């Protein structure tokens, strides 16, 4: 699994960014393209622009949130990890694009370079590019360097589509290889068109293009301080899902909860008519969920995710805090052949919301062992302590879901103990 | 996290380079000390009224006593030591531009003493010179064909005076010429 994750990113980048460079190289002999300092700088600038724009386009395709991405990326949440990387890479390439193009005038004079960088409304085709770049810069500074409230950040990020539109105007009006080489033109415009389609799919046409399930809120229960359980009944057709998956929820027309879309793990048993999610009040949005009204309509998109998909014979489950939710669902679906030892790590006993449910399952299932780990008294749960309890880690599949630092540190500890990376599965919620 | 480092470095390089270039090229730019000849103004006579006391100037290797800028006169300046050519009816002395032409010295030399209109507009068939290039060209203007030598800027070109600062790399190997001499 890890191999697939590691190579998918370079493959994706090569698949989209290399073709335009090859088409560009085929249009004019390379010895002319790199015939001197100025010519070479211009060529490098052009290559950077083509690669940057292709990756920029690719990033919009990734936001289409298609079900097939689950298989390609081994979990939809990983799409966003890749989106983040590709976005940063595209931006870096696009920053260097005008720089290289301007530096080609250096042999003439520094002033000549300066004049190239000066904005001029005569060169509207260049101005489109500058507008795109500056808008990207503002949006990405907000993404990389400034901590915004999630819904504010998300709103700001949507303007990337505007930046992309300006970039598109730039590539169709600039007199360069894209205007001169027909194959290159087809590629860049074709790719950009797919991106516009993806943008439209997710924004303007989302109401009728994207499939949603309609559910109604049946009950809202407070399981513990700051932990809310929401149960829903389907209004039309029920969503079928696998244990361990998640879905996007949007509660509409509720007096207390905004109609923002948020992903939650599905905590209920897949065959049951009632859908259940358990949410921790971590931020502005989740803090309003305890006041959700019964009867509110929920639009659900999903299911997504590949966590806990396989049925390995020997498994260790490690749940941290609210990360217990996918395991809860999965525990109901254990086959008799599966041997599972589950560690549920909480700070204090009050936090252990589904303890009873899990203990009941451990009594009825012969090979499911449940261990509640209260870090307040037992100390932090470490890989070493897990090994002490479990014994041999060889041949065991480990699944971890919890706070990001906990997942990362446990993964490191296991790897240090010789557990191979592809035996460890984690479910990261953070970049959804 | 790794990609954030790349983004940070790229942003830094971008802003550092553009700021440095804009400051050096525009703010600290020294006006060209070299003056052209005194204008003959609106006279279109055959009298030579050249001011011989000019400093080094954009016009070099000029022939004292020349009156009108005819094609024949321009044709005399057909070498590296004194290179004039005509573009769209205007005469330019580009002797000081050798070593600075991104297209190489040979492409300049080929046009010395001649009408370079087509060569300039089509870059020998590979596309037109940029607006930047047109701006730079205007500083080498010495007069209209059929007129006298003047220090007025040509009226229909963009009036930007650019000082020919010493090139960063005075390497003729930089350009795609086969022979540079």
């Amino acid at each position: 699994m890890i191999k697939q994750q590691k190579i998918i990113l370079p493959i994706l980048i090569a698949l989209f960014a290399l073709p335009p460079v090859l088409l560009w190289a085929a249009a004019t002999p390379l010895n002319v393209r790199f015939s001197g300092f100025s010519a070479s700088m211009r060529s490098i600038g052009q290559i950077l622009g083509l690669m940057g724009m292709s990756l920029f386009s690719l990033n919009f395709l990734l936001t289409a949130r298609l079900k097939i991405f689950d298989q390609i990326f081994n979990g939809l949440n990983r799409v966003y990890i890749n989106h983040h990387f590709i976005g940063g890479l595209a931006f870096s390439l696009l920053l260097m694009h005008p720089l290289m193009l301007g530096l080609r005038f250096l042999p003439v004079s520094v002033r000549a370079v300066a004049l190239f960088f000066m904005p001029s409304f005569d060169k509207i085709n260049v101005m489109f590019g500058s507008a795109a770049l500056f808008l990207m810069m503002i949006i990405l500074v907000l993404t990389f360097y400034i901590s915004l409230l999630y819904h504010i950040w998300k709103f700001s990020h949507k303007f990337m589509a505007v930046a992309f539109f300006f970039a598109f105007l730039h590539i169709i009006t600039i007199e360069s290889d894209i205007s001169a080489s027909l194959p290159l033109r087809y590629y860049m415009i074709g790719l950009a068109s797919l991106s516009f389609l993806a943008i439209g799919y997710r924004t303007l046409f989302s109401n009728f293009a994207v499939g949603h399930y309609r559910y109604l809120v049946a009950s809202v229960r407070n399981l513990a301080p700051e932990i809310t359980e929401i149960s829903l009944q389907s209004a039309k057709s029920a969503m079928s899902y696998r244990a361990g998956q998640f879905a996007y929820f949007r509660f509409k027309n509720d007096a207390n909860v905004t109609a923002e879309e948020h992903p939650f793990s599905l905590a209920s048993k897949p065959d049951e008519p009632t859908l259940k999610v358990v949410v921790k009040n971590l931020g502005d949005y989740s803090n309003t969920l305890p006041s959700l009204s019964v009867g509110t309509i929920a639009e659900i998109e999903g299911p997504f995710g590949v966590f806990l998909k396989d049925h390995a014979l020997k498994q260790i489950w490690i749940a941290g805090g609210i990360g217990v939710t996918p395991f809860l669902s999965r525990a109901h679906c254990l086959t008799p052949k599966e041997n599972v030892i589950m560690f549920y790590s909480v700070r204090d006993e009050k936090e252990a919301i589904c303890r009873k449910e899990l203990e009941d399952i451990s009594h009825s299932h012969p090979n499911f062992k449940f261990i509640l780990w209260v870090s307040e008294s037992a100390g932090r749960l470490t890989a070493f302590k897990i090994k002490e309890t479990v014994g041999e880690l060889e041949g065991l599949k480990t699944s971890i879901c919890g706070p990001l630092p906990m997942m990362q540190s446990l993964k490191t500890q296991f790897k240090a103990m010789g557990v191979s990376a592809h035996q460890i599965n984690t479910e990261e919620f953070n970049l959804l | 996290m790794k990609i954030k480092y790349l983004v940070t470095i790229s942003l830094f390089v971008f802003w550092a380079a553009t700021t440095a270039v804009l400051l050096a090229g525009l703010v600290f730019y020294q006006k060209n000390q070299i003056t052209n000849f005194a204008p003959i103004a609106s006279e279109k006579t055959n009298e030579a009224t050249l001011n011989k006391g000019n400093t080094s100037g954009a016009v070099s290797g000029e022939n004292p006593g020349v009156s009108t800028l005819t094609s024949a006169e321009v044709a005399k300046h057909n070498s590296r030591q004194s290179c004039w050519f005509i573009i769209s009816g205007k005469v330019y002395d580009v002797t000081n531009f050798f070593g600075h032409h991104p297209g190489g010295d040979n492409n300049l030399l080929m046009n010395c003493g001649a009408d370079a209109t087509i060569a300039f507009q089509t870059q020998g068939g590979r596309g037109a010179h940029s607006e930047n290039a047109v701006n730079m060209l205007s500083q080498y203007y010495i007069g209209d064909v059929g007129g006298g030598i003047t220090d007025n800027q040509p009226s229909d070109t963009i009036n930007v005076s650019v000082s020919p600062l010493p090139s960063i790399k005075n390497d003729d190997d930089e350009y795609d010429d086969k022979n540079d001499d």
Side-chain angles (χ1 to χ4, degrees):
Chain A
M1 279 308 156
I2 278 288
K3 259 194 222 151
Q4 175 189 0
Q5 287 165 40
K6 283 218 155 110
I7 60 172
I8 193 75
L9 188 59
I11 285 180
L12 214 59
I13 291 171
L15 207 61
F16 282 82
L18 276 187
V21 177
L22 295 174
L23 289 172
W24 170 91
T28 299
L30 285 179
N31 59 344
V32 174
R33 294 270 200 200
F34 293 96
S35 56
F37 177 80
S38 292
S40 301
M41 292 302 271
R42 184 163 192 248
S43 297
I44 294 171
Q46 290 175 333
I47 291 173
L48 292 171
L50 290 172
M51 291 178 73
M53 183 62 181
S54 307
L55 293 179
F56 194 15
S57 300
L58 167 63
N59 240 17
F60 285 100
L61 299 182
L62 293 179
T63 65
R65 206 194 281 165
L66 303 172
K67 289 260 171 72
I68 192 151
F69 293 163
D70 254 344
Q71 276 111 293
I72 299 172
F73 293 93
N74 197 37
L76 188 82
N77 54 321
R78 297 211 164 84
V79 173
Y80 294 98
I81 296 172
N82 289 315
H83 172 95
H84 183 78
F85 185 90
I86 290 170
L89 181 60
F91 178 56
S92 303
L93 292 169
L94 291 172
L95 275 175
M96 295 299 110
H97 162 71
L99 209 61
M100 294 296 127
L101 289 179
L103 287 177
R104 84 182 185 272
F105 293 113
L106 216 49
V108 179
S109 68
V110 178
R111 186 172 163 84
V113 183
L115 287 174
F116 176 82
F117 287 144
M118 286 299 286
S120 156
F121 285 101
D122 308 346
K123 302 181 280 184
I124 191 79
N125 48 10
V126 176
M127 294 292 279
F128 284 140
S130 310
L133 194 61
F134 282 110
L135 190 54
M136 274 183 95
M137 206 176 297
I138 295 170
I139 296 171
L140 289 180
V141 164
L142 291 177
T143 302
F144 280 99
Y145 305 106
I146 306 199
S147 288
L148 292 174
L149 290 176
Y150 180 74
H151 66 281
I152 296 179
W153 167 78
K154 196 163 180 195
F155 177 71
S156 74
H157 212 68
K158 289 186 202 248
F159 286 91
M160 266 305 185
V162 178
F164 185 70
F165 180 63
F166 280 123
F168 177 70
L169 290 178
H170 173 70
I171 68 168
I172 60 173
T173 55
I174 201 84
E175 277 162 24
S176 185
D177 285 277
I178 296 181
S179 51
S181 158
L182 208 56
L184 186 60
R185 194 173 177 77
Y186 279 153
Y187 181 86
M188 296 305 287
I189 293 182
L191 187 57
S193 305
L194 285 178
S195 303
F196 283 122
L197 220 71
I199 293 170
Y201 174 70
R202 278 283 142 201
T203 53
L204 303 169
F205 319 131
S206 66
N207 284 334
F208 55 85
V210 181
H212 288 113
Y213 292 93
R214 214 160 193 250
Y215 274 69
L216 296 167
V217 176
S219 75
V220 181
R221 275 205 306 157
N222 192 243
L223 295 184
E226 299 192 345
I227 299 182
T228 310
E229 180 199 73
I230 303 169
S231 301
L232 306 110
Q233 301 277 1
S234 79
K236 276 173 130 184
S237 49
M239 178 175 70
S240 58
Y241 58 97
R242 248 188 345 255
Q245 289 194 299
F246 64 91
Y248 289 87
F249 288 75
R250 192 195 299 271
F251 297 105
K252 307 195 81 170
N253 303 318
D254 188 279
N256 303 313
V257 178
T258 58
E260 280 168 40
E261 189 187 52
H262 282 262
F264 297 117
S265 263
L266 301 162
S268 41
K269 191 172 171 207
D271 316 346
E272 277 173 9
T274 308
L275 205 65
K276 254 192 254 182
V277 296
V278 182
V279 185
K280 187 166 182 184
N281 303 344
L282 284 169
D284 286 342
Y285 174 78
S286 43
N287 276 330
T288 64
L289 289 176
S291 333
L292 186 63
S293 317
V294 170
T296 296
I297 296 170
E299 248 177 28
I300 303 178
E301 187 190 344
F304 298 103
V306 298
F307 190 56
L308 301 174
K309 183 179 178 184
D310 51 29
H311 293 251
L313 288 176
K314 286 159 101 181
Q315 302 177 45
I316 301 178
W317 293 356
I318 306 166
I322 198 63
V324 72
T325 41
F327 294 109
L328 195 55
S329 171
R330 185 70 169 78
H332 285 290
C333 310
L334 278 172
T335 62
K337 277 212 201 119
E338 291 173 277
N339 255 294
V340 175
I341 302 177
M342 177 173 177
F343 292 83
Y344 181 14
S345 168
V346 289
R347 219 173 322 135
D348 52 57
E349 289 207 23
K350 272 192 294 156
E351 213 186 309
I353 43 169
C354 19
R355 171 191 192 163
K356 180 142 189 330
E357 211 171 327
L358 290 163
E359 277 170 346
D360 288 345
I361 296 174
S362 76
H363 294 141
S364 58
H365 192 290
N367 297 320
F368 177 69
K369 188 171 175 191
F370 173 69
I371 299 166
L372 182 70
W373 189 280
V374 183
S375 47
E376 209 174 49
S377 42
R380 199 177 286 180
L381 181 62
T382 63
F384 184 72
K385 292 184 184 150
I386 291 171
K387 185 171 181 183
E388 272 186 335
T389 315
V390 170
E392 191 51 63
L393 294 176
E394 184 86 31
L396 279 169
K397 200 74 180 248
T398 306
S399 300
I400 317 173
C401 183
L404 191 61
M406 171 196 155
M407 289 195 289
Q408 285 173 338
S409 111
L410 277 174
K411 206 165 175 176
T412 310
Q413 291 170 37
F414 277 119
K415 284 182 358 192
M417 284 173 125
V419 178
S420 75
H422 74 266
Q423 292 287 86
I424 309 168
N425 278 342
T426 52
E427 174 90 330
E428 290 92 358
F429 281 148
N430 291 57
L431 272 179
L432 285 169
Chain B
M1 274 303 117
K2 283 184 298 183
I3 197 62
K4 186 175 175 178
Y5 295 145
L6 180 64
V7 171
T8 309
I9 291 169
S10 305
L11 274 171
F12 179 75
V13 169
F14 176 83
W15 283 109
T18 49
T19 309
V21 161
L22 287 170
L23 282 177
L26 299 173
V27 175
F28 297 125
Y29 152 68
Q30 297 292 318
K31 275 218 173 296
N32 192 349
Q33 300 290 349
I34 301 157
T35 60
N36 289 328
F37 287 104
I40 300 174
S42 49
E43 282 188 274
K44 284 208 186 227
T45 68
N46 278 335
E47 297 302 308
T49 51
L50 295 169
N51 181 354
K52 284 198 198 162
N54 72 91
T55 52
S56 54
V59 180
S60 53
E62 44 83 26
N63 226 327
V66 70
S67 50
T68 320
L69 291 169
T70 59
S71 310
E73 184 55 46
V74 171
K76 292 184 196 164
H77 301 266
N78 59 357
S79 70
R80 178 73 176 80
Q81 287 67 42
S82 177
C83 177
W84 295 8
F85 51 52
I86 300 167
I87 294 178
S88 301
K90 298 188 181 328
V91 183
Y92 299 89
D93 179 344
V94 293
T95 313
N96 285 346
F97 194 47
F98 281 96
H100 298 277
H101 183 226
D105 285 353
N106 254 5
N107 287 322
L108 283 183
L109 205 54
M110 282 194 307
N111 293 289
C112 292
D115 189 316
T117 307
I118 292 174
F120 184 76
Q121 283 172 356
T122 63
Q123 256 188 9
R126 274 172 50 200
H129 278 90
S130 64
E131 215 175 89
N132 243 353
V134 174
N135 289 349
M136 280 181 245
L137 177 68
S138 61
Q139 69 163 321
Y140 298 101
Y141 170 75
I142 55 171
D144 289 348
V145 173
I149 294 175
T150 171
D151 71 354
N152 292 331
Q153 287 295 323
S155 53
D156 55 13
T157 57
I158 295 148
N159 194 357
V160 176
S161 49
V162 177
S163 87
L165 295 170
S167 57
I168 307 300
K169 275 194 180 181
N170 219 345
D171 241 334
D172 281 0
D173 291 337
E174 297 289 292
Y175 307 112
D176 66 342
D177 309 312
K178 278 115 197 161
N179 296 311
D180 284 311
D181 28 41

